């Protein structure tokens, strides 16, 4: 579809041309009319016109002046000229200005149709070529963006590539900030992925030369002109009602600093969890956070002492207290991460005890391992409270189910206290003064496994901790957990773990080493 503008000072000519155009088998959109060049110029400024059919001689502004003015204003439009025999010299000048042809008055229907169809075909050819070029350009830009994104995240690139890429936008890379943004989306909110709309706002603020998109997912990451005040972009997002968390680094110089800038942007974003009411995090907001601390283990132990009671409200309040914002906002985000890991480890200890009695029920501890999986710290605390309350309910039911079985509880206590000594079913049944056969059936019915299997699991659980957390020799550990010989210990360990004790120790050491390296990298 194309738009056509007819310019002539005589109404009957305008009406006649318009009527003929409507009858042609052309894919026309709109036909506009103007009485002179001045009126035509205003229409051209306000609308996208592909073809102008204009008389040469008109009052106020003639056709030649109109052509010259649109060329000066870089208005892209094609012209067909209408002239009389006496105006042939003007028509030649019009051709020199780029007119696609001229028509003699009176305009014949066949001549007009042929000329317009010829110009329409040229227009469509140019439009198709332009679309192809835009497609090629977009693909090239996407390739450049992916290369920049990989380099930003640590991929090695040679010096020549860095210099070439920096040369494509030298003014930006000479002085830029890295912005990491994630929009705060709510359940059932339409347009769940609006990173492109946020990107368009950034281009309005910084201009095309002052903004480069490096990544869309999982966060929108932009390199922006550092000369622009850092508060302008967040203000523009707020004006457009975009509730986005923005982490913005300090000014950076040179493309070589991009990987370090990315690390800084991630750290700033992670600290946004400490300041949920702040929509823009800058380096100045975290530079005074304390880097040394002691975790509140006494409070955590006291909190977990409530597990298995009717004090669910106190448990919820306890979590809120240890995650109080005044405390979290004193320290680097690593404090919050370490606090979370400590609670997860305690949860695992309790679950390990009652797992045999939970049946198909379970806790979703995995969901608590990474607080950055949540939209904000409040959501993470709620998830932590939910899992603790579930554990409390499980543990309470576990305790109630055995409250009237004191003999069995005493037997279990005795096993955990004496697992490192020679121990068998007869010794435990004698300890609680129960018949051997009766105790054996009672134990298996309530515990879900036989005495020998339970004792083995207790001993191997202690052995795994010693293997992972101490440097004791394996033969020493075997004795420490109640095995009479190294051979019987390794055989039992292999049957349960499907690996040798030495292999388990090596596995755990590698795991701790990798976790340590990850924590160092995250810092």
């Amino acid at each position: 579809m194309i738009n056509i503008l007819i310019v002539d000072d005589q109404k009957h000519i305008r009406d006649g041309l318009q009527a003929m155009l409507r009858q042609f088998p052309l894919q026309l959109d709109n036909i506009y009319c103007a009485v002179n060049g001045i009126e035509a110029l205003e229409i051209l400024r306000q609308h996208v016109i592909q073809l102008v059919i204009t008389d040469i001689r008109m009052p106020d502004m003639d056709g030649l002046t109109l052509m010259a003015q649109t060329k000066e204003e870089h208005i892209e439009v094609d012209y067909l000229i209408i002239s009389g025999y006496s105006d042939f010299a003007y028509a030649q000048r019009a051709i020199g200005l780029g007119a696609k042809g001229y028509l003699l008055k009176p305009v014949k229907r066949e001549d007009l149709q042929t000329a317009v169809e010829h110009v329409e075909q040229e227009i469509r050819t140019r439009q198709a070529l332009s679309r192809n070029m835009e497609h090629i350009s977009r693909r090239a830009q996407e390739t450049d963006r992916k290369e920049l994104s990989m380099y930003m995240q640590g991929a090695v690139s040679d010096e020549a590539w860095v210099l070439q890429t920096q040369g494509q936008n030298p003014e930006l890379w000479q002085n830029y900030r890295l912005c990491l943004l994630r929009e705060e989306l709510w359940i059932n909110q339409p347009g769940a992925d609006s990173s492109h709309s946020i990107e368009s706002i950034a281009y309005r603020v910084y201009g095309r030369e002052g903004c480069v998109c490096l990544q869309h997912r999982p966060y929108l990451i932009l390199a922006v002109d550092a000369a622009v005040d850092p508060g302008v972009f967040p203000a523009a997002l707020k004006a457009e009602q975009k509730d986005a968390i923005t982490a913005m680094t300090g000014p950076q110089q040179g493309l070589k600093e991009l990987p370090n800038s990315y690390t800084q942007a991630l750290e700033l974003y992670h600290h946004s969890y400490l300041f949920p009411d702040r929509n823009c995090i800058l380096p100045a907001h975290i530079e005074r956070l304390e880097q040394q601390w002691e975790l509140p283990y006494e409070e955590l132990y006291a909190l977990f002492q409530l597990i298995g009671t009717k004090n669910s409200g106190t448990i919820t309040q306890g979590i809120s207290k240890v995650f109080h914002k005044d405390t979290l906002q004193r320290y680097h985000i690593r404090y919050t991460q370490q606090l979370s890991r400590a609670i997860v480890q305690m949860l695992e200890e309790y679950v390990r005890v009652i797992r045999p009695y939970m049946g198909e029920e379970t806790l979703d501890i995995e969901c608590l391992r990474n607080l950055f999986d949540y939209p904000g710290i409040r959501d993470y605390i709620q998830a932590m409270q939910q899992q603790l309350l579930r554990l409390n309910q499980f543990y309470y039911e576990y305790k109630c189910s055995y409250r009237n079985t004191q003999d069995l509880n005493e037997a279990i206590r005795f096993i955990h206290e004496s697992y490192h000594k020679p121990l068998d079913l007869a010794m435990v049944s004698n300890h609680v003064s129960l018949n051997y056969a009766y105790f054996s059936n009672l134990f298996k019915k309530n515990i879900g496994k036989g005495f020998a299997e339970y004792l083995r699991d207790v001993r191997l659980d202690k052995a795994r901790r010693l293997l992972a957390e101490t440097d004791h020799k394996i033969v020493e550990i075997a004795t420490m957990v109640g095995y009479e010989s190294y051979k019987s210990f390794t055989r039992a360990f292999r049957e349960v773990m499907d690996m040798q004790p030495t292999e388990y120790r090596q596995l755990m050491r590698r795991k701790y080493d990798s976790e340590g390296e990850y924590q160092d990298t995250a810092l």
Side-chain angles (χ1 to χ4, degrees):
M1 304 292 284
I2 64 173
N3 295 321
I4 294 180
L5 171 61
I6 300 171
V7 189
D8 198 294
D9 58 331
Q10 299 182 52
K11 185 177 186 303
H12 71 278
I13 294 179
R14 296 195 305 270
D15 292 344
L17 291 173
Q18 187 171 0
M20 283 190 285
L21 289 170
R22 292 292 187 192
Q23 295 173 3
F24 296 160
L26 301 172
Q27 294 183 358
L28 301 180
D29 194 354
N30 294 307
I31 299 177
Y32 300 88
C33 293
V35 298
N36 55 40
I38 295 176
E39 186 176 322
L41 191 59
E42 288 301 316
I43 294 174
L44 287 166
R45 288 168 177 165
Q46 297 173 11
H47 302 279
V48 178
I49 306 293
Q50 284 78 33
L51 174 61
V52 175
I53 303 174
T54 181
D55 192 4
I56 284 185
R57 292 193 176 187
M58 293 178 294
D60 298 323
M61 180 184 287
D62 61 22
L64 292 178
T65 306
L66 172 63
M67 291 182 68
Q69 186 63 34
T70 54
K71 190 172 184 179
E72 182 178 336
E73 295 185 20
H74 304 288
I75 299 174
E76 296 184 2
V77 63
D78 289 328
Y79 281 91
L80 285 176
I81 302 302
I82 302 174
S83 67
Y85 284 109
S86 60
D87 297 327
F88 185 71
Y90 290 101
Q92 287 182 312
R93 289 175 57 190
I95 297 297
L97 287 171
K100 297 298 180 180
Y102 70 93
L103 302 168
L104 292 175
K105 293 182 178 180
V107 178
K108 296 181 180 180
R109 174 190 175 91
E110 296 79 8
D111 294 342
L112 177 63
Q113 182 173 349
T114 299
V116 172
E117 286 178 347
H118 177 74
V119 175
E120 181 195 29
Q121 185 59 44
E122 282 194 19
I123 291 171
R124 297 198 182 283
T125 300
R126 286 201 308 270
Q127 289 175 340
L129 180 61
S130 176
R131 286 193 295 270
N132 289 337
M133 293 302 295
E134 287 178 2
H135 178 68
I136 293 172
S137 177
R138 283 196 300 271
R139 291 187 64 179
Q141 290 175 0
E142 182 65 15
T143 299
D144 291 342
R145 185 188 65 77
K146 288 181 178 179
E147 289 181 347
L148 270 171
S149 179
M150 292 173 63
Y151 174 68
M152 173 184 71
Q153 297 179 57
V156 177
S157 295
D158 56 46
E159 184 76 16
W161 179 87
V162 173
L163 292 175
Q164 179 185 359
T165 304
Q166 184 168 285
Q168 294 174 358
N169 200 340
E171 293 186 5
L172 174 63
W173 296 119
Q174 185 177 355
N175 187 33
Y176 65 96
R177 299 176 188 270
L178 214 59
C179 287
L180 186 152
L181 301 102
R182 189 179 75 173
E183 190 170 8
E184 295 184 276
L185 300 172
W186 308 100
I187 297 175
N188 297 326
Q189 177 177 337
D193 181 14
S194 58
S195 62
H196 291 282
S197 64
I198 295 178
E199 183 182 350
S200 66
I201 296 172
Y203 284 125
R204 291 206 304 270
V205 171
Y206 297 100
R208 285 284 169 180
E209 298 300 319
C211 178
V212 171
C213 178
L214 302 175
Q215 177 179 293
H216 284 115
R217 295 174 180 273
Y219 316 109
L220 176 64
I221 299 181
L222 307 169
V224 299
D225 185 358
V228 177
D229 188 294
V232 174
F233 185 31
L237 293 174
K238 185 177 181 180
E240 294 288 339
Q241 298 182 337
K242 298 292 184 183
D243 295 325
I245 299 171
T246 306
M248 190 175 297
T249 70
Q252 311 291 315
Q253 284 76 41
L255 189 59
K256 287 185 178 180
E257 292 300 315
L258 186 59
N260 292 333
S261 303
Y262 176 66
T263 300
Q264 184 183 134
L266 281 177
E267 182 183 23
L268 287 169
Y269 171 71
H270 288 161
H271 279 87
S272 69
Y273 281 74
L274 304 182
F275 304 95
D277 300 324
R278 193 185 298 276
N279 63 358
C280 182
I281 302 296
L282 301 171
H285 296 140
I286 70 170
E287 61 185 13
R288 294 186 179 180
L289 296 180
E290 297 180 28
Q291 300 279 347
Q292 296 181 347
W293 54 77
E294 290 185 4
L295 293 179
Y297 283 110
E298 291 187 6
E299 292 183 38
L300 295 182
Y301 291 141
L303 174 64
F304 273 83
Q305 287 297 315
L306 298 173
I307 296 296
T309 68
K310 293 184 178 181
N311 298 312
S312 57
T314 307
I315 293 172
T316 301
Q317 294 172 5
I319 286 293
S320 298
K321 182 179 179 181
V322 297
F323 280 98
H324 196 280
K325 69 174 184 177
D326 291 342
T327 302
L328 301 185
Q329 290 175 359
R330 285 177 53 194
Y331 303 115
H332 192 279
I333 188 64
R334 293 194 306 275
Y335 171 84
T336 304
Q337 291 176 280
Q338 291 180 10
L339 179 63
S340 302
R341 283 196 291 269
I343 295 176
V344 168
Q345 289 173 359
M346 291 184 178
L347 274 168
E348 289 176 327
E349 290 291 330
Y350 272 75
V351 169
R352 187 180 292 113
V353 173
I354 65 170
R355 183 176 289 124
Y357 319 105
M358 295 174 65
E360 296 182 357
E361 297 287 346
T362 185
L363 292 182
D364 186 9
I365 296 180
E366 291 301 317
C367 76
L368 303 177
R369 295 196 186 280
N370 185 8
L371 91 100
F372 304 123
D373 288 340
Y374 292 82
I377 188 67
R378 296 188 181 101
D379 303 272
Y380 180 78
I381 293 173
Q382 289 176 0
M384 180 75 75
Q385 290 172 333
Q386 181 182 14
Q387 295 304 317
L388 271 172
L389 290 178
R390 291 194 68 200
L391 175 64
N392 180 61
Q393 182 64 27
F394 287 142
Y395 215 79
Y396 179 75
E397 293 174 356
Y398 157 72
K399 289 172 64 176
C400 288
S401 64
Y402 296 105
R403 186 166 297 156
N404 298 323
T405 318
Q406 296 180 357
D407 292 332
L408 187 59
N409 290 339
E410 175 58 20
I412 293 173
R413 187 200 66 78
F414 181 68
I415 292 170
H416 280 268
E417 183 179 84
S418 309
Y419 68 93
H420 57 288
K421 302 175 183 179
L423 199 63
D424 58 24
L425 182 61
M427 295 171 63
V428 178
S429 62
N430 287 335
H431 177 77
V432 294
S433 302
L434 290 176
N435 175 270
Y436 179 95
Y438 173 78
F439 175 75
S440 177
N441 291 332
L442 176 66
F443 192 95
K444 188 169 185 178
K445 177 182 177 181
N446 288 276
I447 302 301
K449 61 179 70 174
F451 168 83
E453 184 181 358
Y454 183 82
L455 176 60
R456 180 203 64 189
D457 290 347
V458 170
R459 285 173 168 171
L460 293 183
D461 183 57
K462 305 296 184 182
R464 284 194 295 269
R465 296 190 196 181
L466 291 171
L467 286 167
E469 300 172 4
T470 74
D471 294 322
H472 290 300
K473 296 179 179 179
I474 294 176
V475 67
E476 295 175 342
I477 292 176
T479 302
M480 293 168 68
V481 298
Y483 281 88
E484 296 180 355
S485 70
Y486 170 84
K487 185 176 180 180
S488 61
F489 167 68
T490 55
R491 182 172 61 251
F493 195 94
R494 185 174 62 252
E495 289 176 354
V496 173
M497 299 299 297
D498 198 27
M499 66 177 69
Q500 295 286 357
T502 52
E503 294 174 321
Y504 180 80
R505 170 170 275 173
Q506 292 170 358
L507 177 66
M508 297 306 295
R509 295 292 167 82
R510 287 196 299 270
K511 178 182 177 183
Y512 292 154
D513 289 344
S514 63
E515 288 179 354
E517 291 174 2
Y518 172 79
Q519 293 173 8
D520 292 341
T521 303
L523 301 182

